[in-house]
Amino acid sequence: MEDRVRVVIAEDSVLLREGLTRLLTDRGHDVIAGVGDGEALIKTITEFAAQDALPDVVVADVRMPPTHTDEGVKAAVQLRKQHPGLGVLVLSQYVEEQYATELLAGSSHGVGYLLKDRVAEVREFVDAVVRVARGGTALDPEVVAQLLGRSRKQDVLAGLTPREREVLGLMAEGRTNSAIARQLVVSDGAVEKHVSNIFMKLGLSQSDGDHRRVLAVLTYLNS
């Protein structure tokens, strides 16, 4: 399978952990480890790194033992610093802007933040895991809505048209230009023009390369 990825799952609920494992393995992916807390996640990834066998992506709950507050996202942030090439997709019961911002404020690739309800949409969830594993982004639409809403209050988006904001929201969800065109029922060329205008208005030059799409989202998060 061309998109086959190696996954480590960090989730303290055994039932959910086994469910995620089944979803991914049934679709041809390799779940190489499953752990129940942030400390075990860091230890497991460290062991894989020592064997030069890092997974492609970690799927981690934001809240795990012992305090069930931020152990999961703290572990994720630490792992991204130690292993920049490791994809990290965190799952949360609710949109928690602080955690989303902390996770996304570092490296500009291979990161995702989804609400747990999104797991029920099996194809969308699996696609998100693969996208993050391949260096893309996967942001839950609810996360995007709240983050963009906060940014609007700070006038970060003042220079964007309503359509450009809509396009940027879809970009932040990890969609390609073609997918955005299908969603908005417009031509690919129209989307390319909107994207170009967004980059220009946010001050993202061509020298930023392929990461401009992610940097456009990070502009909001770092404001």
Side-chain angles (χ1 to χ4, degrees), residues 15 24 48 50 75-76 84 91 111 124 131 149 151 167 206 212:
L15 184 61
L24 292 167
F48 278 122
L91 304 177
V111 64
E124 185 173 341
R131 188 160 63 249
S151 298
V167 169
Q206 291 185 357
R212 285 191 296 176

Side-chain angles (χ1 to χ4, degrees), residues 23-188:
L23 286 180
L24 292 167
T25 56
D26 280 356
R27 282 153 185 82
H29 302 295
D30 298 323
V31 177
I32 59 176
V35 298
D37 60 70
E39 183 177 343
L41 173 59
I42 292 173
K43 179 181 179 182
T44 298
I45 297 301
T46 300
E47 291 173 350
F48 278 122
Q51 302 168 20
D52 196 25
L54 276 176
D56 298 305
V57 60
V58 167
V59 178
D61 191 358
V62 165
R63 302 186 176 196
M64 289 193 290
T67 68
H68 292 278
T69 54
D70 58 0
E71 284 84 356
V73 75
K74 280 186 174 180
V77 170
Q78 179 177 333
L79 289 172
R80 282 178 61 76
K81 291 178 180 178
Q82 294 174 341
H83 310 287
L86 176 66
V88 173
L89 174 62
V90 299
L91 304 177
S92 179
Q93 194 69 39
Y94 310 101
V95 179
E96 301 179 80
E97 290 186 20
Q98 177 183 349
Y99 297 153
T101 301
E102 185 178 6
L103 182 68
L104 293 164
S107 178
S108 60
H109 62 87
V111 64
Y113 189 114
L114 296 181
L115 296 184
K116 285 188 174 180
D117 289 346
R118 199 67 55 190
V119 176
E121 301 174 26
V122 176
R123 182 172 181 178
E124 185 173 341
F125 168 70
V126 176
D127 286 348
V129 172
V130 173
R131 188 160 63 249
V132 171
R134 298 306 182 209
T137 58
L139 298 182
D140 194 285
E142 290 298 321
V143 175
V144 173
Q146 289 203 25
L147 294 174
L148 296 186
R150 180 190 66 179
S151 298
R152 279 195 292 269
K153 295 176 184 177
Q154 297 176 356
D155 293 329
V156 175
L157 304 183
L160 301 185
T161 66
R163 176 62 92 182
E164 287 166 354
R165 293 183 184 185
E166 190 173 12
V167 169
L168 183 51
L170 293 171
M171 286 168 57
E173 292 174 23
R175 302 182 189 231
T176 64
N177 285 1
S178 295
I180 293 172
R182 289 193 297 272
Q183 176 73 19
L184 300 181
V185 195
V186 298
S187 69
D188 287 0

